[in-house]
């Protein structure tokens, strides 16, 4: 029964996503093809195969974090802050997919780094989550002593912890992303949940817009937000698991 519910849930999600996203995909493909033929028609000196090679080269360069700015190229994804943020996304298993090692040595190091880093990250997240839980229990005990509440105190503290976590990790960060990245609030909220849940699609990643200047503290603050936000969301997910079980 559980397996049937699982497969049915996946099937429902697939059907809804197909209905919502397929028309936009078809429209985007038609627009791309139309622009391709317009470009070849307006510039007869261009050859189809040469243009295709140029497009593929641009796509590959963009995946590597290289963008054109006038007559120069923009580098910066593999500076120290970018590398540190990649390390965070690797050991937290977020894996945005927008950045990955291109050298053989870099890939081998990434495997070894993740092999030891993922357990270290899980241990740290577990400790942070336990500290959060102990803090909630301690506050609940203090409320019981002061106001002589019994079951109400723990329920009240769990509610306060949930609301505080929602504000700190899901509702307020999109405002920062709107300011620094130029995203809408909905896009920032979507990025927040996709990141903290370690889904990490990679369609939205902070600090990757070459047209924007980011402060030095930006990625460091986001790294801390990811660390504590994942610990908080893990507690929420654990609570949901208990309810389902």
């Amino acid at each position: 029964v559980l397996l049937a519910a699982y497969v049915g849930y996946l099937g429902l999600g697939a059907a809804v996503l197909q209905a919502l996203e397929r028309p936009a995909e078809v429209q985007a493909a038609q627009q791309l093809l139309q622009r391709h033929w317009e470009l070849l028609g307006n510039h007869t000196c261009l050859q189809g195969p040469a243009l295709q090679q140029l497009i593929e080269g641009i796509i590959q360069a963009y995946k590597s974090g290289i963008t054109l700015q006038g007559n120069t190229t923009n580098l910066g994804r593999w500076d120290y802050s970018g590398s540190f943020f990649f390390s965070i996304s690797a050991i937290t298993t977020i894996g945005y997919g927008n950045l990955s090692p291109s050298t053989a040595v870099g890939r081998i190091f990434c495997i070894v780094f993740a092999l030891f880093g993922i357990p270290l990250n899980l241990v740290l997240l577990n400790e942070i989550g336990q500290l959060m839980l102990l803090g909630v229990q301690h506050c609940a005990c203090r409320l019981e002593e002061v106001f002589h509440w019994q079951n109400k105190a723990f329920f009240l503290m769990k509610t306060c912890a949930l609301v505080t976590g929602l504000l700190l990790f899901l509702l307020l960060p999109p405002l920062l992303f709107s300011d620094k990245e130029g995203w809408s609030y909905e896009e920032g909220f979507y990025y927040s949940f996709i990141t903290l849940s370690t889904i990490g699609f990679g369609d939205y990643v902070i600090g990757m817009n070459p047209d924007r200047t980011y402060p030095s503290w930006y990625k460091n603050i986001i790294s801390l937000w990811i660390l504590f936000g994942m610990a908080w969301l893990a507690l929420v997910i654990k609570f949901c698991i208990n309810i389902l079980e």
Side-chain angles (χ1 to χ4, degrees):
V1 173
L2 182 60
L3 179 61
Y6 181 80
V7 174
Y9 190 77
L10 290 176
L12 176 63
V16 172
L17 287 170
Q18 181 184 18
L20 294 175
E21 298 296 331
R22 184 66 175 179
E25 180 187 36
V26 172
Q27 183 180 4
Q30 292 173 347
Q31 291 177 351
L32 177 62
L33 190 60
Q34 181 181 358
R35 291 175 182 174
H36 174 78
W37 289 115
E38 287 177 354
L39 182 63
L40 290 177
N42 295 331
H43 302 82
T44 55
C45 59
L46 291 175
Q47 299 296 322
L51 178 61
Q52 186 66 28
Q53 290 180 356
L54 176 62
I55 293 173
E56 291 176 357
I58 292 174
I59 293 173
Q60 187 61 40
Y62 182 78
K63 288 181 178 179
S64 302
I66 302 172
T67 56
L68 288 174
Q69 288 186 328
N71 294 325
T72 62
T73 55
N74 175 69
L75 301 173
R77 290 193 177 184
W78 283 116
D79 57 6
Y80 187 79
S81 62
S83 301
F84 185 84
F85 191 72
F86 170 79
S87 300
I88 286 282
S89 68
I91 67 173
T92 55
T93 69
I94 295 173
Y96 289 114
N98 69 307
L99 190 62
S100 58
S102 59
T103 63
V105 178
R107 289 167 179 167
I108 293 173
F109 173 77
C110 187
I111 293 172
V112 177
F113 180 75
L115 185 63
F116 293 96
I118 291 174
L120 177 63
N121 175 73
L122 292 176
V123 170
L124 179 61
L125 289 181
N126 183 61
E127 291 296 323
I128 293 175
Q130 291 300 321
L131 287 175
M132 290 180 175
L133 192 58
L134 286 175
V136 171
Q137 292 174 346
H138 178 73
C139 292
C141 291
R142 293 293 298 173
L143 285 176
E144 288 181 2
E145 293 175 0
V146 174
F147 296 100
H148 302 291
W149 293 339
Q150 294 181 352
N151 297 329
K152 292 182 179 179
F154 192 64
F155 175 77
L156 178 62
M157 287 311 305
K158 285 201 299 185
T159 304
C160 290
L162 177 63
V163 173
T164 303
L166 281 173
L167 287 173
L168 290 178
F169 302 121
L170 287 179
L171 298 180
L172 293 181
L175 299 176
L176 176 63
F177 300 141
S178 297
D179 178 58
K180 300 301 180 185
E181 304 290 343
W183 300 340
S184 66
Y185 185 85
E186 176 269 329
E187 290 172 326
F189 183 83
Y190 168 79
Y191 167 78
S192 299
F193 181 80
I194 292 300
T195 295
L196 298 184
S197 61
T198 72
I199 296 173
F201 289 125
D203 48 352
Y204 290 92
V205 184
I206 60 103
M208 295 300 174
N209 190 342
D211 299 325
R212 288 184 172 267
T213 302
Y214 300 99
S216 58
W217 52 264
Y218 182 52
K219 286 188 177 179
N220 297 328
I221 291 296
I222 298 304
S223 298
L224 289 175
W225 166 75
I226 289 175
L227 189 61
F228 287 94
M230 283 180 61
W232 170 81
L233 191 59
L235 290 177
V236 176
I237 294 175
K238 185 178 180 180
F239 177 71
C240 294
I241 291 173
N242 292 334
I243 293 177
L244 287 174
E245 288 182 341

